[in-house]
Amino acid sequence: MLTVRTTPRTGRFIPLLAGSLLLLGALAPLAARAAGPIPPPTPQQMLALKPKQEGIAYTTPEADKVAACKVEKVTGRKGSGWILKDADGKTLRLFFDSNDDNKVDVWSYFKDGVEVYREIDTTYSGKADQYRWLNAGGSKWGIDETKDFRIKYWKVISVEEVSQEILAALATRDFARFQALLINDAEVKALELPATEVARLQAAQKEAKAKFDDTAARLTTLTPKATWQYLQTDVPHLVPADQTGSRYDLTKHARGTIVFTPEKGEVGMIQTGELIQVGTAWRVVVAPVAGAEVPQEASKTGTGSDNITSNPKLEKLIKELTDLDLQMPKADSNQSPALVQHFLKRADILERIVAAADEKEREGFYRQVADSLSSAAQSSKTLADAIGLKRLVNLEEQLVKALPGSSLTAYVTFREMQAEYTLKMADPKADINKVQQECLDRLAKFVNAYPKAEDTPDAILQAGMVSEFLNKDVEAKNWYGQLKKNHADKPQAVKATGAIRRLDADGQVFTLAGPLLSDPNVAFDVDSLRNKDKVVVVYYWAGWNTQTLGDFAKLKLLLEAQGKNGVELLAVNLDNTAEEAKAFLTKSPAPGTHLHLDGALESKLATDYGVMVLPLIFLVGKDGKVVSHTVQINNLEDEVKKLLK
């Protein structure tokens, strides 16, 4: 099985709110139309079903733990199903019938209690035709219209996942799997490219099979047991429509290098060739090529891949870098001498790679240099011994002189700012207000110097947060307003909109609804408390926050003293998963009604009010309007007493 390293991504979940009975037809034989109540499937029956796609990392309990697993019925507005949980209450499987026909049409698999993979039967025939990777499983969404368990095309797939699929296809010598990644005629037509470009893409499609087979034959050490390490690309290139003759702007990577480790032998590399984004999916234009060399013919057109020559020295350095990454030390603390040395060595190798690489390839490696130096700096104990920061400042100064205003200079500058800020804030003798003001000044200069850099939305959001810390709410709203106006298509703008709503909340009706932590099938609305003439304390928390335990102790005392007078606690959990929140409450029970949505500070429960720092408290009056969005735990009881009088 091909081993793949993936990055966490989020995914949609099935709404389970109310509904009817389900027979798991796929688990047969359970007597579909038998009289009387339908018995639930056994844990063994649910565990017997396996994903139709390979390489899914999901949790399956050991044989001696299966007996302790429990099957529970779940219902939705329409449809119902069975959920399987282990002895600790973590979800293992969820099989659901969404249209009340007594046949399963959604099969979900979980890892560590979080859904990572889902199969969907949209035609209710008993076989899946859509496959989705979710959360830590990735972001892919594959379509299989013929229902033979082979994905025909990808509705959603990231550029990294494309490279993983290329490697898997080559490892198994499976051209059909690779063909699902190729840009097809319908997509070429939709892009409305000029005739010459259409002809080039169609020619590449015709040659793909022969070139794919040739590459697979050359990769003699590549087997299904190989490990995908990473994809090396430059930043995406935006090619304007007036340059290509297309109706639309094109986002592309001119080339990408897949770095992998075979079961035996040295680190290998594969060239992806040109990659083009079509909607929510990245597409391959040409067949992959083994090694570090890109064919010269690929660079003959305006949107083709850049031409580089085979570079044994570069290959050797990349292998050295990969070997180092595989030996990354583990540390109990972020402040670790071993980590510092690891990241400094990584930066050393990357600087040698920059020197050996073609000029057009250098930006991507420079970015990795900056990331490594920033990590080394933030792993240091003090500002004085942060060698990584000193080297990062030196790199920044060189780029400011050589490439003023460039995306690379902006990238390095922002990471230097982050590293410096982290080290200053970690100093126990630091004047926090002074450090925050210095940070705000630097952020303002960054936004002014690099208004369209990729890190600018983050910089503006941080400027708003720091302004709030300094009690400059008007300035904070100006920053958030700028983010909302100038970067409306960015996810940071959603947080900014919520933050403005929070800052203007006093005197406004407080609105909040979400699933209960104890039962995600049940939705809770804060309006239900207003109808009961209640003062409401809304407390946003997470188990990882060290203040939470003490705050809950104070909130418990408050409810014991004032609850009988009409006080309710609504606790909004912002842990990554419900399992993390439940684990905290198992060890340290806390009062109140608890809500939760996966996604932590990125979840809707957080973004609706721009919650970016925990803990946070709203005090809401009996009329449902916010009395204070800045009340603190230490003066909360006094404020509650005022409302009750």
Side-chain angles (χ1 to χ4, degrees), residues 77-264:
R77 282 189 297 268
K78 185 177 182 181
S80 56
W82 301 108
I83 190 167
L84 175 65
K85 296 183 178 181
D86 65 14
D88 296 324
K90 289 186 177 181
T91 302
L92 298 168
R93 308 284 188 273
L94 172 61
F95 299 144
F96 199 76
D97 167 24
S98 65
N99 69 333
D100 290 321
D101 67 351
N102 285 338
K103 293 180 182 178
V104 173
D105 49 57
V106 180
W107 299 262
S108 295
Y109 296 81
F110 293 69
K111 180 175 174 59
D112 299 327
V114 179
E115 187 183 15
V116 291
Y117 172 74
R118 181 186 305 175
E119 299 178 348
I120 309 166
D121 173 15
T122 64
T123 63
Y124 311 114
S125 66
K127 289 185 178 181
D129 58 322
Q130 296 191 11
Y131 302 91
R132 299 196 65 179
W133 283 253
L134 307 167
N135 295 300
S139 67
K140 295 184 292 186
W141 186 346
I143 307 298
D144 169 24
E145 295 160 327
T146 60
K147 300 200 172 195
D148 61 359
F149 312 132
R150 293 182 64 84
I151 291 170
K152 306 307 184 295
Y153 73 93
W154 294 96
K155 184 174 181 178
V156 178
I157 188 167
S158 69
V159 70
E160 293 85 3
E161 289 166 324
V162 165
S163 72
Q164 293 164 2
E165 283 293 312
I166 291 174
L167 187 66
L170 287 168
T172 54
R173 278 54 179 172
D174 186 351
F175 177 72
R177 184 168 186 171
F178 172 76
Q179 194 170 30
L181 303 167
L182 273 171
I183 190 168
N184 57 47
D185 291 338
E187 291 166 338
V188 171
K189 183 178 180 180
L191 291 173
E192 297 188 22
L193 297 167
T196 53
E197 190 65 7
V198 172
R200 179 181 76 90
L201 295 176
Q202 290 176 339
Q205 291 173 18
K206 292 178 182 178
E207 298 170 353
K209 177 67 165 65
K211 290 189 175 181
F212 176 89
D213 290 343
D214 179 69
T215 298
R218 292 175 183 270
L219 293 167
T220 56
T221 64
L222 178 59
T223 69
K225 292 185 178 181
T227 302
W228 180 90
Q229 294 295 336
Y230 58 87
L231 174 70
Q232 173 65 48
T233 65
D234 278 339
V235 294
H237 299 176
L238 180 66
V239 184
D242 57 9
Q243 215 175 80
T244 63
S246 169
R247 182 178 176 182
Y248 307 102
D249 293 342
L250 294 179
T251 301
K252 73 182 187 75
H253 285 288
R255 58 181 294 269
T257 301
I258 303 169
V259 179
F260 70 93
T261 305
E263 182 184 12
K264 296 179 181 179

Side-chain angles (χ1 to χ4, degrees), residues 553-565 567 591 637:
K554 294 175 182 178
L555 289 167
K556 183 179 179 181
L557 293 174
L558 170 63
L559 291 179
E560 289 173 350
Q562 305 296 336
K564 60 182 178 294
N565 297 321
V567 179
E637 186 169 11

